[in-house]
């Protein structure tokens, strides 16, 4: 196998359009600070990276193993608080970030294993309900334990100098872009995203990954072959939780803040579900594209509608329909259309077309 | 080796299961030795598949025990029994529908190899496992369909794939549950030849639930009859098929079924 194919674990996109989209995404993200200068664009690119990791890690559960969990944001939050708590308490350093991330990841793994062993034996719907309850409890805990988590207000903190906006890597701008701490933070996030995504591709195409797919297809048969499904499901959950926690740590570093609304809220859980379903479950590439679609829509649908509303100002009814306050409605319409026309998600539908030739 | 040839590889003692007030398997005690093919016959609802499920662990016994190589496995979960050498094929086709035919078999080979928890290597790098999967696919004449989704196969080919998966597990005890049910006449010999080939190995134990008397006569060294969950006859195929209890319990039912059909 050639090096490039090995790097993506032999998991070829499976359709020319998809290959083009993914290469374009990789190039755009790799050069984002230079292609799309500006604080806002950089924030969008950072969020896209973080949500690629978050949605892809959720896909390991939902798409590969066939487990519906609503606790993914809880693990996301564990990583974020892991970083936020030491930094907000004045321990500003790379050691604090590393230790906080490891702590968040370990907590996520322990809780995921706990949930898995307690309830993966039971019916799927009951498991989903348990994750919902545990996630709500974690959210409640984060808002109540003010002394540790800052409660509703969350935690604001400083980051090491290299990552702070005032930092300059070079005295002179490079290609007209000042290499400040924001750019450094972005590249940290980008590098971690790339490594984690390739790692997930590797796991998905490993012997372990093939058992997860077998369990999704027919758990009863997998058991009869000698695979203990509870063990595999629990490990898949723990892995997925660990990666979500790393994504949370990145989110905290990006925002230099963490609170219940930025990492624990149920609306983020809904976003993750949308990303995975729109992109295509069980493909990893799909959730990555889904993350791009949803984050872009969140940032640019409202301004686009403002522009549309202004442009149609003289016409009857149209300005009201495109009023920026109705952006959520249009996001919903977009979602319904995508699910209707691409029931297997973007990636699933393209691959289906490629197979038919 | 001479000592172990006398000890049964698989044995059930007083094995029973109740569903509510209904006894599905009733006090079945039976020993199976390596190198023999035992056919399990009986009318529909006699408890044959349930007896299989108790042995391979899909169901837990209400009372009684199952022993494999002398070790009690009554409470053991199905995956652990499979790893100890109990291989099971299912009557109702039971595959991984969206995975390819080859991947269905490769998963069985991989289970046998015990590398399911390897998460950082590539499955496609285990060329030896893929070759073995192809070998078993070839034995059931499914090589041309290797890259099709299992769900896309016709019924007969799905039955063959089920058999290939069982072969790929390389178990000590093969449990076939009506392997030729619903197959067209020209496909049946492929499966029967395969079962004969396993028998020819000499050290394998084969349990075969089968309705067709010609198949039983051709393959079986021994026949046991289940009727209303209980073991009612056990012996040489010719004598068991001729016995009054089988004529009444089994063939009698068949005749009335034929009349209805």
């Amino acid at each position: 196998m050639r090096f490039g194919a090995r790097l993506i674990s032999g998991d070829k996109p499976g359709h020319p359009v998809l290959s083009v989209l993914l290469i374009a995404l990789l190039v755009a993200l790799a050069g984002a600070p230079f292609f799309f200068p500006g604080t806002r664009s950089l924030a969008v690119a950072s969020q896209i990276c973080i949500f690629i990791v978050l949605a892809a890690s959720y896909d390991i559960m939902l798409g590969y193993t066939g487990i519906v969990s609503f606790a993914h944001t809880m693990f996301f939050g564990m990583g974020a608080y892991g970083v936020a708590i030491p930094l907000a308490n004045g321990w500003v350093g790379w050691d604090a970030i590393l230790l906080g991330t490891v702590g968040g990841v370990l907590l996520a793994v322990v809780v995921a294993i706990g949930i898995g062993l307690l309830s993966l034996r039971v019916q799927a719907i009951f498991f989903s309900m348990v994750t919902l309850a545990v996630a709500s409890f974690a959210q409640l805990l984060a808002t109540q334990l003010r002394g540790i988590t800052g409660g509703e207000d969350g935690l604001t903190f400083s980051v090491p100098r290299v990552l702070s906006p005032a930092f300059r890597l070079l005295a002179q701008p490079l290609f007209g872009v000042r290499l400040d701490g924001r750019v450094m933070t972005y590249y940290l996030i980008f590098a971690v995203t790339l490594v984690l995504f390739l790692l997930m591709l590797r796991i998905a195409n490993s012997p372990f990954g093939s058992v997860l797919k077998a369990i999704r297809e027919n758990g009863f048969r997998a058991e009869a072959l000698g695979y203990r499904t509870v063990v595999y499901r629990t490990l898949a959950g723990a892995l997925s939780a660990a990666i979500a926690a790393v994504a949370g740590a990145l989110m905290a570093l990006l925002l230099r803040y963490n609170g219940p609304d930025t990492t624990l809220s149920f609306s983020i859980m809904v976003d993750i579900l949308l990303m995975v379903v729109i992109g295509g479950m069980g493909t990893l590439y799909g959730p990555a594209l889904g993350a791009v679609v949803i984050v872009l829509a969140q940032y640019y649908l409202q301004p686009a509608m403002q522009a549309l509303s202004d442009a149609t100002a003289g016409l009857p009814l149209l300005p009201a329909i495109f009023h920026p306050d109705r952006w959520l409605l249009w996001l919903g319409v977009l979602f319904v259309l995508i699910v209707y026309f691409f029931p297997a998600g973007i990636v699933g539908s393209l691959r289906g077309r490629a197979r038919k030739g | 080796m001479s000592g172990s040839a006398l000890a049964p590889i698989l044995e059930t003692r007083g094995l029973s299961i109740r569903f509510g007030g209904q006894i599905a398997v009733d006090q079945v005690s039976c020993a199976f030795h390596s190198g023999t093919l035992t056919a399990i016959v009986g009318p529909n609802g006699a408890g044959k598949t349930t007896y299989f499920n108790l042995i391979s662990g899909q169901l837990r016994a209400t009372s009684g025990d199952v022993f494999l190589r002398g070790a009690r496995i009554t409470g053991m979960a199905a995956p652990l029994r499979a790893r100890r050498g109990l291989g099971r094929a299912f009557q109702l086709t039971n595959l991984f529908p969206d995975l390819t035919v080859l991947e269905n078999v490769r998963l069985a080979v991989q289970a046998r190899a015990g590398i399911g928890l390897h998460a950082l290597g590539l499955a496609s790098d285990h060329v030896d496992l893929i070759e073995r999967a192809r070998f078993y696919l070839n034995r059931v004449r499914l090589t041309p369909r290797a890259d099709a989704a299992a769900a896309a196969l016709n019924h007969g080919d799905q039955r063959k794939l089920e058999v290939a998966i069982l072969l790929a597990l390389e178990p000590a005890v093969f449990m076939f549950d009506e392997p030729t049910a619903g197959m067209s006449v020209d496909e049946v010999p492929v499966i029967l030849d395969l079962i004969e080939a396993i028998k020819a190995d000499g050290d394998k134990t084969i349990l075969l639930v089968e309705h067709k008397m010609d198949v039983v006569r051709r393959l079986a060294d021994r026949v046991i009859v289940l009727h209303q969950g209980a073991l009612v006859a056990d012996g040489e195929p010719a004598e068991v098929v001729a016995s009054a209890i089988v004529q009444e319990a089994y063939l009698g039912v068949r005749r009335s079924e034929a009349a209805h059909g």
Side-chain angles (χ1 to χ4, degrees):
Chain A
M1 224 188 291
R2 282 179 300 122
F3 177 73
R6 275 208 83 82
L7 204 59
I8 58 167
S9 300
D11 200 332
K12 307 223 173 63
H15 191 282
V17 173
L18 204 54
S19 306
V20 170
L21 281 176
L22 289 168
I23 291 170
L25 174 62
L26 178 65
V27 171
L29 288 179
F34 301 97
F35 300 146
F36 317 104
T39 315
R40 186 176 161 85
S41 331
L42 203 57
V44 173
S46 308
Q47 296 252 358
I48 286 177
C49 286
I50 291 167
F51 275 100
I52 285 175
V53 174
L54 195 57
S57 64
Y58 189 65
D59 195 29
I60 297 211
M61 288 274 274
L62 182 68
Y64 281 86
T65 325
I67 304 170
V68 181
S69 156
F70 294 113
H72 210 55
T73 45
M74 174 176 76
F75 302 124
F76 187 50
M78 285 175 179
Y81 277 109
V83 166
I85 290 169
L87 292 180
N89 284 295
W91 182 15
V92 180
W94 290 101
D95 48 351
I97 292 174
L98 194 69
L99 217 68
T101 306
V102 170
V105 166
L106 285 181
L107 181 63
V109 166
V110 168
V111 173
I113 289 177
I115 296 178
L117 291 182
L118 280 180
S119 46
L120 275 172
R121 291 169 190 278
V122 299
Q123 281 181 344
I125 180 75
F126 185 71
F127 175 79
S128 303
M129 292 299 116
V130 168
T131 60
L132 194 59
V134 174
S136 305
F137 178 67
Q139 201 174 352
L140 198 72
L141 212 59
T143 50
Q144 295 301 312
L145 294 174
R146 267 187 209 93
I148 303 170
T149 63
E152 296 273 12
D153 299 333
L155 299 167
T156 309
F157 50 87
S158 314
V159 290
R161 213 178 65 83
V162 179
L163 300 181
S164 66
F167 174 77
R168 301 279 179 277
L169 185 66
L170 300 171
Q172 299 301 315
L174 184 70
F175 305 119
V177 177
R178 200 187 293 129
L179 297 182
D180 60 11
R182 284 200 186 89
V183 174
M184 306 308 289
T185 308
Y186 174 73
Y187 276 110
L188 174 68
I189 292 170
F190 175 72
V192 174
T193 298
L194 195 61
V195 169
L196 287 179
F197 193 79
L198 293 177
L199 177 72
M200 283 187 269
L201 274 181
R202 173 51 72 106
I203 292 166
N205 290 286
S206 71
F208 177 73
S210 71
V211 178
L212 298 187
K213 281 182 251 182
I215 290 170
R216 173 194 70 196
E217 292 287 307
N218 187 345
F220 174 82
R221 192 68 174 103
E223 290 250 317
L225 290 185
Y227 297 115
R228 278 186 291 177
T229 54
V230 174
V231 172
Y232 283 87
R233 285 169 180 225
T234 303
L235 287 176
L239 188 78
S240 165
I243 295 172
V246 178
L250 295 177
M251 191 66 152
L253 286 178
L254 171 69
L255 301 177
R256 281 170 276 128
Y257 163 81
N258 185 49
D261 289 342
T262 55
T263 50
L264 287 176
S265 89
F266 196 71
S267 75
I268 298 176
M269 192 60 242
V270 174
D271 289 342
I272 299 170
L273 272 165
L274 289 183
M275 289 169 189
V276 175
V277 171
I278 285 177
M281 288 193 283
T283 62
L284 286 182
Y285 294 122
L289 294 177
V292 177
V293 171
I294 296 292
V295 173
L296 286 182
Q298 281 172 343
Y299 272 86
Y300 295 111
L301 197 57
Q302 214 170 354
M305 285 175 60
Q306 181 71 61
L308 215 59
S309 184
D310 293 346
T312 55
L315 302 167
L317 201 60
L318 286 179
I321 291 177
F322 293 122
H323 193 278
D325 285 354
R326 301 209 167 79
W327 76 279
L328 265 177
L329 170 75
W330 285 101
L331 189 62
V333 170
L334 190 72
F335 175 63
V336 170
L337 287 178
I338 290 180
V339 170
Y340 186 79
F341 287 107
F342 301 102
I346 301 169
V347 173
S349 302
L350 284 173
R351 282 182 178 172
R353 239 170 258 182
R355 260 196 298 274
K356 273 174 216 148
Chain B
M1 287 308 285
S2 59
S4 70
L6 294 172
I9 180 159
L10 178 69
E11 189 180 359
T12 67
R13 284 187 209 152
L15 199 61
S16 308
I17 188 169
R18 276 175 183 278
F19 299 114
Q22 186 81 23
I23 291 192
V25 172
D26 188 7
Q27 298 280 330
V28 177
S29 296
C30 192
F32 304 93
H33 292 83
S34 69
T36 51
L37 189 152
T38 307
I40 299 163
V41 302
N44 289 327
K48 305 183 297 291
T49 298
T50 307
Y51 183 52
F52 260 30
N53 283 337
L54 289 174
I55 292 173
S56 57
Q58 275 75 29
L59 290 173
R60 296 294 165 82
T62 312
S63 63
D65 280 306
V66 184
F67 295 88
L68 183 65
R69 292 194 188 89
R72 201 170 144 264
I73 58 165
T74 317
M76 198 179 271
L80 298 174
R81 298 190 199 199
R83 286 196 223 167
R84 289 197 168 203
L86 276 178
R88 173 81 194 271
F90 292 88
Q91 179 186 10
L92 300 172
T93 303
N94 208 324
L95 304 164
F96 304 112
D98 278 353
L99 305 183
T100 66
V101 169
L102 179 64
E103 181 66 2
N104 268 269
V105 183
R106 200 198 60 79
L107 279 161
V109 176
Q110 179 180 291
R112 177 87 172 94
I115 59 158
L117 288 172
H118 293 205
L120 292 176
L122 287 183
S124 56
D125 281 348
H126 292 276
V127 181
D128 50 328
L129 301 192
I130 298 169
E131 284 310 309
R132 243 156 76 204
R134 287 196 181 279
F135 169 76
Y136 288 113
L137 267 191
N138 193 39
R139 284 192 75 178
V140 298
R141 310 274 184 277
L142 274 181
T143 305
R145 305 303 312 273
D147 297 324
L153 298 183
N154 64 39
H155 178 78
D157 283 349
Q158 289 189 343
R159 301 298 306 157
K160 288 184 195 169
L161 179 53
E162 181 79 43
V163 172
I165 290 173
L166 178 56
L167 294 177
L169 281 174
E170 296 172 0
V173 180
F174 290 75
M175 302 173 71
F176 291 100
D177 196 349
E178 297 196 45
T180 62
M183 276 187 146
S184 66
V185 181
D186 52 322
E187 287 172 321
V188 170
V190 175
I191 298 302
L192 298 189
D193 290 350
L194 273 172
I195 296 175
E196 268 188 336
I198 301 166
K199 237 183 104 171
D201 280 356
D203 62 341
K204 298 294 189 291
T205 311
I206 306 171
L207 273 60
L208 172 69
V209 167
E210 187 53 75
H211 266 306
K212 298 177 186 128
M213 277 305 150
D214 53 330
V215 173
V216 171
R217 277 194 208 93
R218 174 178 158 186
L219 294 174
D221 303 308
R222 171 189 178 198
V223 176
I224 63 174
V225 182
L226 291 186
H227 183 49
Q228 292 173 356
L231 197 154
V232 293
D234 180 352
E236 300 267 317
E239 77 190 54
V240 170
V241 172
S243 69
I245 192 153
V246 173
Q247 293 295 326
E248 181 200 322
Y250 185 60
L251 300 175
V253 172
R254 294 283 286 184
R255 218 173 283 133
S256 69
E257 269 178 359
H260 283 113

